[in-house]
Amino acid sequence: MIGGLFIYNHKGEVLISRVYRDDIGRNAVDAFRVNVIHARQQVRSPVTNIARTSFFHVKRSNIWLAAVTKQNVNAAMVFEFLYKMCDVMTAYFGKISEENIKNNFVLIYELLDEILDFGYPQNSETGALKTFITQQGIKSQTKEEQSQITSQVTGQIGWRREGIKYRRNELFLDVLESVNLLMSPQGQVLSAHVSGRVVMKSYLSGMPECKFGMNDKIVIDKQGKGGTTDDTGKSGKQSIAIDDCTFHQCVRLSKFDSERSISFIPPDGEYELMRYRTTKDIILPFRVIPLVREVGRTKLEVKVVIKSNFKPSLLAQKIEVRIPTPLNTSGVQVICMKGKAKYKASENAIVWKIKRMAGMKESQISAEIELLPTNDKKKWARPPISMNFEVPFAPSGLKVRYLKVFEPKLNYSDHDVIKWVRYIGRSGIYETRC
Amino acid sequence: MTDSKYFTTTKKGEIFELKAELNSDKKEKKKEAVKKVIASMTVGKDVSALFPDVVNCMQTDNLELKKLVYLYLMNYAKSQPDMAIMAVNTFVKDCEDPNPLIRALAVRTMGCIRVDKITEYLCEPLRKCLKDEDPYVRKTAAVCVAKLHDINAQLVEDQGFLDTLKDLISDSNPMVVANAVAALSEIAESHPNSNLLDLNPQTINKLLTALNECTEWGQIFILDCLANYTPRDDRESQSICERVTPRLSHANSAVVLSAVKVLMKFMEMLPKDLDYYGTLLKKLAPPLVTLLSAEPELQYVALRNINLIVQKRPEILKHEMKVFFVKYNDPIYVKLEKLDIMIRLASQANIAQVLAELKEYATEVDVDFVRKAVRAIGRCAIKVEQSAERCVSTLLDLIQTKVNYVVQEAIVVIKDIFRKYPNKYESVIATLCENLDSLDEPEARAAMIWIVGEYAERIDNADELLESFLEGFHDESTQVQLQLLTAIVKLFLKKPTETQELVQQVLSLATQDSDNPDLRDRGYIYWRLLSTDPVAAKEVVLAEKPLISEETDLIEPTLLDELICHIGTLASVYHKPPSAFVEGSRGVQHKRLPARAGSGESAESPEVGQSGTSEAPPAVIPSQGDLLGDLLNLDLAPATTTVPSVQPSMQMGAMDLLGGGLDSLLGGDIGGSPSMGAALGAPAAMPAALSNAPAVGGGLGDLFDLGGGVGMPTGFYVAPKTLFLPAMKAKGLEISGTFARRGGIIQMDLSLTNKAMSVMTDFAIQFNRNSFGLAPAGPLQVLTPLTPNQTIDVSLPLGTTGPVMKMEPLNNLQVAVKNNIDVFYFSCQYPLSLLFVEDGKMERQVFLATWKDIPNDNEAQFQIKDVHLNSDAASNKLQGSNIFTIAKRTVDAQDMLYQSIKLTNGIWVLAEMRVQTGNPNYTVNRNKESCQ
């Protein structure tokens, strides 16, 4: 298991060091600094073995978090733990920075003592932790409160405490998708997938039992076969094939496996209910058509057309097209029909920004790039043209069908709950080779 | 609330100030002071001097302050064991506190203090806490048992904590169960043979129930533990799989990977025709793909594991090629791993896409990545025959870019393509030759030379090309030198008329001016081949080469199986067994996949004797494209490379051998000069020998006859058969036997006698690991059933490449023989002379040098009595057993024989034998030397 955990600043100075196992000595702290942080070459692996000691590291801005072990630990678990550690710290004091860590080092030690025992991760849900690890110091609790804490930390529903009350029962569902594309210069889709998340903010009283439904092809086909009133032909079109999905630990996985129904008792506040991935029938919101022509050895002509491909009534926002330029670019002239375009020498790219664009429209940019003559034999690698945008629909076609809330003990019913649903599609890695 | 100020106090006298503050009456001030102490501790300052003062602050109601003091204690208690005792009372008291959080905190901290006296006091509170009413305290106490075990294993056993811990597996609280499982698994790891984690269907059921309810981390502990269980049959295996599959949808990647591990392992037991087997295979793919959308570090772990899974069960991900396409922004470690998997998944169906991708990658910036991409194109060509042509043209395009490392890499892989598809793509040779000058890496140069040599007849100026390399022969790396030597010999055999000079030049460079024994050996072998029988030389050197296999870089199957059992862990990331990077006893146990039930491979009918051959790993070509492989396959056996060969000077200096040569042996001055002079004469004789082989052949050809005209050596000595296994012990099977070495092959001659009443069939044999790695090279050939009272004689060929383990005595061999009745074991001893190899004749100078180098400690002396032979006859007789006489001299009516022996594992034994005429006793001094 994890033998020790260190946090360093960008210079390699130790901010936090907590050793859990006897086989990890103080020299491990220095070994990591010398061999990884101060290493001359770029890090080639997130796992490093130095003198039979293994170091796992992740970086958040310029802070290094390193877990150390001498055993054959579960590597995936160590990284998951490090990410979790970052989440917990962010939930407690915001951004992970040197200043914040120094300001909260006592708290961090307290957290580390709680969520990692002898190198074994323990309950690390912030909801539960915040009930008894606070920055204010613990007020003397009553006996009931204490046992409530312990049963929550160790209990089956570790992510939610009892006795939550809201005057207004409300919930927000955000379907956030990032659409990823790799397209060949000829317009052939090399790979495309949507990775989506359903993020929920719940402000519900008591211990509500929730059921979430979406237009999952498997569920809808099953219902269709069941001979319900649904028109199978119609619903078949509207359903989507989900390649794979993963759920927050509150979701009863065995129930999903057997019935494909998503039921759970939600944590209080904001959390990620599920993640999913689709690869079929993706609506690609934009198409990029590049044209690069080399005119002699010192000039490049670039023309890029973008086409929006969704309902004309919808508006895409924050559109940005990034056209890479060679390293020996000396000057660029740009003409664009819409938005603003600029050559950014420091980024070696022409950045074209458009604030808004409706569906089924087309826009174009053309640029002339002057090059300095070089005798460099190596050809320019021609990085792909990348694009950023935000659209108000889900490119995968996912629709929320229902989210039912049942709380038998308290006197509110499903339709007393105010529910909000929002769809946002963003570009992930949306690239077209040129 | 800014704690950062504590980091800034660095002035002198700080310790003194802190001391005062710690003893202050004001609570706030105390707390401030402790925080400062912890801050100094973090940055590595020694604040152990404050130990008593900090411990004094322990008695407090303030939980935050208490935690800080505990933190300090955990760090410094070990360096101040006596003072740490001061804290014991508070700990014991805290363990009784009404607040469960404090009880747990106390027991958690106490376990981290590695001081013997404190651990003694820990036992009672721990016992109470393990039975505490509050689950939070119990789950903390469960881990504490593991801590205590790490400090004092005996104590834990004596106090019966292990039983209490086992009881906790049935606890009502899932987190307590999970921690108990984690603690037990860890303790069990350090006792490999204890039945601590007594996994039976009942406990498994409990674990599977807890799996649905506990935290994500607990699920990992339980799944990792489940993976160590071996189900009784395929039904149980299936039911566990069914209950584990829902975990594949967990948001935590580690839970998913651990579930994959359990499924991959238990799948081994499921019959392949089962519907469920197919369903399971389909269910595995999506979660594995989803892992690739995790953060890059986790992607890396996932990819390393997918690499293993793809090798074990390629069918799972065969349709998922696209997700492994490299993204521009992927970190380099993710890119390299993806590339590896892409090649493994490449097939006829997707090769077009893969090639298009690889071509893109070959223009990227990162040198390692580009090289790997180019190499990948070559591997695709070898793997998918239909794509070979396209691959070759892609490679040619890349060569046109003239980017130095791309060109070199491309040439290396093209060489492999030639090996795979001989006589198909030679048209590209011209393009390759254009780039000759830009090659500066040994591997690329060697590859190019190989190509020139191999296709010498089609390259008009092959001799010029090779000659140009020859100029700087001594500056080249060994790899290139060896290749150049072979290539020129090939050229000579193909175009003998124009290249005589060249071949002489390279042979003399290789044999006389080189210090490298490999090169010298190969030089001499060619030389002799050419001089004795050019036709044979042609047959050998230009022999049809075996095609290289398709799959490359595969992990050896047994290691792969072991790594599959370690999915998700560091072992799977390093692709090494845990024993390779973990110290001590932990993790040294080798895990194995369970055997498939119900199939023909079950434990019922294995051919014990065949296991050695039938499970031979698929031939794997080394990824670096070892060019040497084509040379008569000689280089494939590593041991032969170190054999010093007999120089031609032996024959030339034959006169000296008994006289002057021996003086030099005695005098210590390596008398190299006279014999070397003679050797120099050899090249001059070469051309003549070649054009006029029969006539001159006699001279040079004799070199092979190492007997040197002393007469035919007598055969290998074979001891009479002895009884290995009496019929009494083996239910009527009697085995007697002996060992022999015939024509370089070790054989075990066995007589099997059936003294029972019934017929015996299904014979098989297997050896335990032994000192020299002896292992059956084939199955035990008993083809007909052995009827009662029948005796059958069999010869079992033995190899020496089996697993090695030192035995006592050294030549002990433990054998298992199986028939239709039972398995029987016996042990026997083989004569060491069995292992003396035919090429054990050491070159004289080497002998002399080695003899002097061997320390006296390695020397043993003994006498052989009652031998009525003169020295020549003895030497002759010994040669039959591969004990070679290197030199002989006569001093004071005593004949001294200097002899060398080489064992199969490359160890040399040098001996000096003193034979006194008329005295039947021989004295032998033996020196031993290891070659490595």
Side-chain angles (χ1 to χ4, degrees):
Chain A
M1 282 306 116
I2 298 171
L5 205 138
F6 309 126
I7 302 180
Y8 301 83
N9 66 9
H10 66 286
K11 284 185 258 173
E13 291 165 351
V14 195
L15 303 178
I16 297 286
S17 106
R18 175 77 161 91
V19 173
Y20 293 93
R21 298 263 172 161
D22 203 37
D23 53 8
I24 303 298
R26 183 87 202 172
N27 51 356
V29 184
D30 303 324
F32 182 76
R33 174 180 32 241
V34 172
N35 288 289
V36 181
I37 302 182
H38 291 172
R40 265 193 217 146
Q41 284 177 316
Q42 187 201 354
V43 192
R44 304 295 270 197
S45 159
V47 186
T48 326
N49 195 323
I50 308 162
R52 294 206 150 213
T53 309
S54 300
F55 294 81
F56 301 77
H57 73 264
V58 299
K59 242 186 128 178
R60 288 289 180 268
S61 62
N62 53 10
I63 297 294
W64 299 75
L65 282 94
V68 194
T69 183
K70 283 206 164 182
Q71 297 172 30
N72 181 29
V73 298
N74 188 320
M77 185 187 81
V78 176
F79 280 124
E80 282 285 1
F81 177 80
L82 288 174
Y83 302 144
K84 195 72 178 188
M85 177 77 208
C86 294
D87 291 349
V88 171
M89 289 199 288
T90 315
Y92 266 96
F93 52 76
K95 195 172 163 276
I96 296 176
S97 64
E98 180 171 353
E99 199 192 351
N100 277 347
I101 288 173
K102 278 187 169 173
N103 282 340
N104 294 284
F105 83 98
V106 175
L107 171 77
I108 295 173
Y109 276 124
E110 204 176 330
L111 284 169
L112 280 176
D113 197 41
E114 188 58 45
I115 60 178
L116 209 53
D117 190 5
F118 201 41
Y120 289 108
Q122 304 291 307
N123 194 334
S124 47
E125 287 298 313
T126 29
L129 289 171
K130 278 191 171 171
T131 57
F132 68 108
I133 296 182
T134 59
Q135 281 162 294
Q136 279 76 41
I138 301 174
K139 309 277 172 327
S140 57
Q141 299 135 325
T142 63
K143 209 162 178 211
E144 288 79 57
E145 279 171 338
Q146 286 164 6
S147 70
Q148 207 190 329
I149 291 170
T150 57
S151 76
Q152 199 211 329
V153 174
T154 61
Q156 288 184 27
I157 308 168
W159 55 88
R160 188 181 180 92
R161 64 190 166 91
E162 300 227 23
I164 298 171
K165 278 209 179 71
Y166 287 101
R167 221 190 294 153
R168 209 158 92 128
N169 287 302
E170 204 170 9
L171 65 85
F172 300 84
L173 269 181
D174 283 349
V175 176
L176 307 171
E177 295 197 336
S178 83
V179 50
N180 298 277
L181 170 76
L182 185 62
M183 198 177 251
S184 76
Q186 293 76 32
Q188 186 196 4
V189 177
L190 295 175
S191 76
H193 75 272
V194 168
S195 57
R197 306 186 299 145
V198 178
V199 175
M200 186 172 169
K201 265 184 240 166
S202 72
Y203 303 104
L204 302 168
S205 312
M207 294 297 259
E209 176 74 41
C210 296
K211 213 173 160 190
F212 175 68
M214 53 189 177
N215 56 343
D216 178 1
K217 195 163 188 287
I218 297 177
V219 176
I220 291 187
D221 287 356
K222 217 193 271 171
Q223 283 173 351
K225 266 182 218 155
T228 49
T229 49
D230 269 23
D231 181 358
T232 43
K234 204 176 147 196
S235 63
K237 260 185 200 165
Q238 287 169 351
S239 63
I240 61 158
I242 293 176
D243 287 26
D244 188 39
C245 44
T246 60
F247 297 99
H248 185 267
Q249 58 168 322
C250 66
V251 176
R252 294 183 188 90
L253 292 179
S254 39
K255 214 162 177 185
F256 178 75
D257 195 55
S258 55
E259 303 163 25
R260 226 173 154 88
S261 74
I262 303 164
S263 61
F264 55 98
I265 295 171
D268 196 39
E270 186 173 335
Y271 73 101
E272 190 180 286
L273 175 66
M274 74 177 276
R275 274 175 190 239
Y276 57 91
R277 183 168 47 83
T278 73
T279 46
K280 287 199 190 73
D281 303 322
I282 294 168
I283 309 157
L284 295 170
F286 286 96
R287 186 124 182 242
V288 179
I289 305 152
L291 198 75
V292 182
R293 210 159 62 93
E294 284 176 40
V295 187
R297 294 200 54 190
T298 55
K299 203 167 150 194
L300 272 183
E301 273 181 15
V302 181
K303 198 173 104 179
V304 177
V305 180
I306 58 167
K307 282 183 181 169
S308 60
N309 177 35
F310 44 86
K311 270 192 245 162
S313 58
L314 297 175
L315 274 180
Q317 293 187 64
K318 298 177 192 167
I319 302 150
E320 186 186 291
V321 182
R322 186 171 284 265
I323 305 159
T325 55
L327 296 174
N328 54 339
T329 302
S330 60
V332 176
Q333 274 127 32
V334 211
I335 312 160
C336 57
M337 287 160 32
K338 217 175 166 206
K340 279 179 187 160
K342 233 184 189 172
Y343 167 63
K344 292 194 175 169
S346 58
E347 297 165 37
N348 287 312
I350 301 167
V351 180
W352 177 25
K353 285 184 179 169
I354 306 171
K355 273 194 187 133
R356 262 177 230 96
M357 187 163 169
M360 308 314 273
K361 288 260 161 55
E362 197 179 303
S363 191
Q364 185 186 324
I365 184 172
S366 41
E368 273 185 21
I369 302 171
E370 310 266 342
L371 302 175
L372 289 171
T374 57
N375 47 7
D376 196 0
K377 259 192 188 174
K378 219 161 104 181
K379 251 179 45 179
W380 177 46
R382 281 208 189 181
I385 296 175
S386 60
M387 207 182 158
N388 289 314
F389 54 79
E390 202 178 292
V391 288
F393 62 91
S396 69
L398 182 127
K399 288 261 164 12
V400 176
R401 289 170 61 218
Y402 57 80
L403 197 144
K404 291 176 194 152
V405 182
F406 310 94
E407 170 55 73
K409 284 186 197 149
L410 297 173
N411 54 351
Y412 71 94
S413 67
D414 183 39
H415 47 257
D416 294 333
V417 181
I418 306 159
K419 301 167 189 169
W420 307 86
V421 183
R422 173 165 71 154
Y423 298 90
I424 300 173
R426 291 199 184 97
S427 52
I429 295 164
Y430 204 84
E431 292 176 340
T432 307
R433 291 187 178 148
C434 55
Chain B
M1 269 320 288
T2 52
D3 288 346
S4 55
K5 61 173 186 275
Y6 304 117
F7 283 93
T8 52
T9 50
T10 47
K11 53 184 185 286
K12 272 191 182 173
E14 155 189 42
I15 298 274
F16 187 73
E17 254 173 52
L18 279 173
K19 209 177 176 87
E21 282 175 42
L22 284 169
N23 291 318
S24 150
D25 295 334
K26 285 183 194 148
K27 272 187 185 172
E28 267 314 299
K29 209 159 194 184
K30 257 190 190 179
K31 197 164 147 187
E32 295 288 291
V34 176
K35 280 188 182 178
K36 277 184 203 162
V37 173
I38 300 290
S40 324
M41 193 174 89
T42 299
V43 293
K45 258 183 246 164
D46 184 16
V47 283
S48 59
L50 295 166
F51 199 89
D53 309 282
V54 177
V55 172
N56 271 338
C57 303
M58 199 168 156
Q59 288 276 16
T60 171
D61 298 333
N62 186 317
L63 199 55
E64 195 186 5
L65 179 57
K66 195 178 237 41
K67 282 182 179 171
L68 287 174
V69 176
Y70 280 0
L71 189 64
Y72 178 89
L73 267 175
M74 283 186 265
N75 259 292
Y76 286 113
K78 220 170 138 190
S79 55
Q80 311 257 346
D82 294 329
M83 283 205 261
I85 300 299
M86 291 161 55
V88 165
N89 269 335
T90 322
F91 276 127
V92 175
K93 215 175 105 203
D94 279 356
C95 286
E96 307 270 336
D97 197 279
N99 186 341
L101 291 171
I102 293 185
R103 290 204 295 277
L105 177 66
V107 78
R108 185 165 67 213
T109 314
M110 253 177 121
C112 295
I113 296 177
R114 304 178 69 92
V115 175
D116 283 342
K117 281 179 193 155
I118 290 203
T119 44
E120 281 167 30
Y121 285 100
L122 175 60
C123 291
E124 276 323 299
L126 178 58
R127 199 186 313 283
K128 269 187 209 150
C129 289
L130 280 167
K131 302 227 160 102
D132 200 284
E133 51 169 22
D134 196 293
Y136 183 75
V137 181
R138 289 202 301 276
K139 72 110 184 160
T140 312
V143 176
C144 190
V145 175
K147 292 180 188 169
L148 189 58
H149 186 270
D150 192 40
I151 304 170
N152 190 341
Q154 195 58 43
L155 189 68
V156 170
E157 279 168 45
D158 295 346
Q159 297 278 334
F161 286 137
L162 294 181
D163 293 321
T164 326
L165 202 53
K166 275 188 212 167
D167 293 343
L168 287 184
I169 290 188
S170 315
D171 200 280
S172 59
N173 184 293
M175 195 157 173
V176 177
V177 179
N179 276 4
V181 167
L184 276 173
S185 304
E186 177 166 345
I187 296 171
E189 240 177 63
S190 50
H191 295 275
N193 297 319
S194 73
N195 203 12
L196 197 56
L197 254 173
D198 177 27
L199 293 175
N200 53 45
Q202 285 77 40
T203 45
I204 292 293
N205 200 22
K206 281 177 199 156
L207 294 184
L208 286 168
T209 314
L211 187 62
N212 288 325
E213 293 164 353
C214 62
T215 64
E216 45 194 329
W217 314 116
Q219 296 186 15
I220 300 169
F221 306 154
I222 292 177
L223 287 168
D224 284 351
C225 173
L226 272 179
N228 290 327
Y229 176 66
T230 311
R232 284 163 311 167
D233 50 30
D234 48 332
R235 273 224 198 117
E236 192 189 0
S237 175
Q238 181 178 346
S239 84
I240 295 175
C241 287
E242 278 166 0
R243 293 177 70 177
V244 167
T245 33
R247 297 299 120 199
L248 294 176
S249 307
H250 203 286
N252 187 314
S253 308
V255 175
V256 177
L257 267 179
S258 290
V260 169
K261 165 165 58 190
V262 174
L263 296 174
M264 283 292 285
K265 205 176 159 190
F266 288 9
M267 243 166 116
E268 286 290 308
M269 292 188 67
L270 299 177
K272 282 197 171 162
D273 44 0
L274 197 70
D275 284 348
Y276 181 69
Y277 181 83
T279 324
L280 201 54
L281 277 182
K282 267 189 215 129
K283 278 193 174 173
L284 275 171
L288 288 173
V289 173
T290 298
L291 290 176
L292 298 184
S293 45
E295 287 86 343
E297 292 88 1
L298 263 175
Q299 275 188 51
Y300 174 71
V301 174
L303 285 165
R304 294 292 283 175
N305 280 288
I306 288 171
N307 199 330
L308 298 173
I309 292 167
V310 166
Q311 288 183 58
K312 183 73 191 164
R313 297 193 182 280
E315 63 270 34
I316 294 178
L317 288 166
K318 65 177 172 205
H319 299 304
E320 304 288 351
M321 170 61 88
K322 277 189 180 179
V323 297
F324 298 103
F325 284 179
V326 170
K327 292 183 193 139
Y328 191 72
N329 292 330
D330 281 335
I332 182 67
Y333 50 82
V334 169
K335 283 184 177 174
L336 291 172
E337 292 306 316
K338 279 188 173 171
L339 198 51
D340 236 10
I341 295 168
M342 276 174 68
I343 303 162
R344 292 204 196 285
L345 290 178
S347 66
Q348 203 184 333
N350 56 24
I351 194 75
Q353 274 183 324
V354 175
L355 266 182
E357 282 295 305
L358 291 176
K359 204 175 168 186
E360 287 286 333
Y361 304 161
T363 59
E364 283 230 27
V365 199
D366 191 288
V367 177
D368 285 348
F369 182 61
V370 170
R371 281 174 178 272
K372 202 164 181 174
V374 175
R375 201 156 275 210
I377 297 174
R379 276 166 68 179
C380 283
I382 290 165
K383 205 175 165 190
V384 186
E385 187 164 359
Q386 291 79 2
S387 76
E389 195 158 345
R390 219 172 326 167
C391 293
V392 172
S393 73
T394 309
L395 287 169
L396 283 179
D397 287 351
L398 290 172
I399 289 177
Q400 300 301 352
T401 63
K402 305 274 176 199
V403 178
N404 190 280
Y405 54 85
V406 174
V407 173
Q408 311 214 33
E409 210 63 42
I411 286 181
V412 172
V413 293
I414 285 181
K415 182 248 336 177
D416 281 341
I417 296 177
F418 283 173
R419 285 280 321 258
K420 172 80 182 178
Y421 310 109
N423 307 317
K424 222 169 162 188
Y425 300 109
E426 283 67 31
S427 52
V428 308
I429 291 176
T431 322
L432 302 185
C433 290
E434 286 166 19
N435 292 287
L436 218 55
D437 301 333
S438 63
L439 308 180
D440 53 11
E441 288 162 25
E443 210 187 339
R445 288 174 79 88
M448 193 63 222
I449 294 169
W450 182 87
I451 293 172
V452 174
E454 187 67 19
Y455 298 101
E457 69 272 30
R458 306 183 197 194
I459 306 171
D460 296 335
N461 60 345
D463 49 344
E464 283 168 35
L465 292 176
L466 292 176
E467 201 171 357
S468 69
F469 280 103
L470 208 56
E471 280 160 18
F473 188 78
H474 288 293
D475 302 326
E476 299 283 3
S477 75
T478 315
Q479 191 184 9
V480 179
Q481 291 177 335
L482 285 167
Q483 210 44 252
L484 196 53
L485 172 61
T486 306
I488 292 179
V489 172
K490 282 182 188 166
L491 174 70
F492 172 72
L493 289 169
K494 288 175 178 173
K495 300 180 182 173
T497 43
E498 312 120 62
T499 53
Q500 277 192 21
E501 222 169 287
L502 197 60
V503 82
Q504 279 170 36
Q505 206 181 336
V506 76
L507 284 175
S508 77
L509 277 171
T511 51
Q512 283 151 39
D513 302 347
S514 171
D515 297 332
N516 186 314
D518 286 1
L519 189 63
R520 268 201 326 254
D521 281 2
R522 195 183 282 193
Y524 282 124
I525 289 169
Y526 284 147
W527 196 330
R528 274 179 227 132
L529 263 175
L530 291 173
S531 56
T532 44
D533 189 352
V535 181
K538 211 162 188 167
E539 269 168 27
V540 172
V541 180
L542 302 179
E544 193 104 330
K545 281 167 285 295
L547 291 184
I548 53 176
S549 77
E550 296 182 358
E551 284 296 335
T552 48
D553 286 348
L554 285 177
I555 293 177
E556 194 261 321
T558 47
L559 177 61
L560 180 63
D561 284 356
E562 190 181 348
L563 292 178
I564 290 286
C565 301
H566 287 293
I567 284 178
T569 68
L570 264 180
S572 71
V573 174
Y574 294 147
H575 288 184
K576 282 179 193 159
S579 51
F581 59 92
V582 175
E583 280 169 0
S585 61
R586 267 183 226 281
V588 178
Q589 281 167 281
H590 287 278
K591 295 192 180 180
R592 284 208 192 107
L593 288 175
R596 189 178 303 280
S599 76
E601 306 154 86
S602 70
E604 291 302 306
S605 61
E607 275 72 13
V608 187
Q610 281 186 358
S611 60
T613 47
S614 62
E615 286 169 21
V620 172
I621 61 162
S623 62
Q624 295 299 310
D626 189 353
L627 286 169
L628 313 182
D630 72 292
L631 182 93
L632 319 170
N633 287 338
L634 261 179
D635 304 86
L636 298 180
T640 55
T641 55
T642 44
V643 185
S645 75
V646 186
Q647 288 207 358
S649 60
M650 283 284 288
Q651 183 62 26
M652 305 299 178
M655 293 311 190
D656 288 346
L657 215 140
L658 300 171
L662 214 70
D663 291 336
S664 68
L665 190 64
L666 279 172
D669 170 27
I670 304 175
S673 44
S675 45
M676 281 311 285
L680 285 171
M686 278 291 299
L690 292 171
S691 54
N692 195 359
V696 192
L700 286 169
D702 270 354
L703 287 176
F704 287 111
D705 190 358
L706 297 175
V710 190
M712 283 306 289
T714 50
F716 180 84
Y717 168 75
V718 180
K721 281 182 181 166
T722 50
L723 185 64
F724 286 154
L725 182 71
M728 301 256 296
K729 282 192 177 170
K731 300 185 181 164
L733 175 69
E734 190 182 80
I735 301 178
S736 59
T738 185
F739 295 87
R741 187 178 182 95
R742 297 189 184 97
I745 295 163
I746 304 173
Q747 285 181 322
M748 185 179 190
D749 295 343
L750 292 172
S751 294
L752 310 174
T753 311
N754 184 353
K755 297 207 166 168
M757 304 301 283
S758 57
V759 176
M760 293 178 180
T761 54
D762 296 330
F763 283 93
I765 192 162
Q766 202 165 40
F767 293 173
N768 193 2
R769 288 192 285 176
N770 53 69
S771 316
F772 291 96
L774 280 180
L780 190 59
Q781 299 280 354
V782 185
L783 300 171
T784 49
L786 198 57
T787 51
N789 276 326
Q790 191 195 353
T791 300
I792 194 165
D793 287 332
V794 275
S795 263
L796 179 72
L798 305 182
T800 52
T801 49
V804 175
M805 183 175 73
K806 198 180 174 219
M807 299 294 291
E808 199 60 47
L810 212 56
N811 56 342
N812 195 17
L813 183 67
Q814 294 176 335
V815 183
V817 170
K818 179 184 132 333
N819 61 12
N820 57 332
I821 297 167
D822 205 341
V823 182
F824 311 106
Y825 301 94
F826 63 87
S827 67
C828 53
Q829 290 176 9
Y830 49 91
L832 220 48
S833 57
L834 203 61
L835 304 161
F836 299 168
V837 293
E838 277 69 21
D839 58 358
K841 187 154 189 167
M842 196 179 253
E843 190 199 326
R844 276 175 59 228
Q845 276 130 39
V846 179
F847 184 95
L848 182 63
T850 327
W851 184 273
K852 285 195 294 183
D853 281 348
I854 300 172
N856 287 338
D857 316 66
N858 286 7
E859 193 166 304
Q861 196 178 73
F862 59 91
Q863 285 205 332
I864 309 169
K865 292 195 172 142
D866 291 313
V867 193
H868 299 279
L869 287 170
N870 67 15
S871 56
D872 283 344
S875 137
N876 205 12
K877 201 167 177 112
L878 288 173
Q879 185 164 336
S881 297
N882 294 335
I883 302 170
F884 299 98
T885 304
I886 304 298
K888 179 185 160 188
R889 75 188 165 110
T890 313
V891 181
D892 302 338
Q894 283 188 7
D895 284 339
M896 314 279 271
L897 295 178
Y898 292 89
Q899 293 166 318
S900 76
I901 300 158
K902 192 186 160 203
L903 299 183
T904 47
N905 55 358
I907 292 176
W908 285 93
V909 179
L910 309 184
E912 177 194 57
M913 185 155 79
R914 201 174 303 153
V915 184
Q916 217 163 352
T917 328
N919 184 346
N921 296 346
Y922 289 0
T923 309
V924 180
N925 284 318
R926 263 207 322 203
N927 278 330
K928 207 172 193 187
E929 181 218 4
S930 168
C931 243
Q932 312 314 331

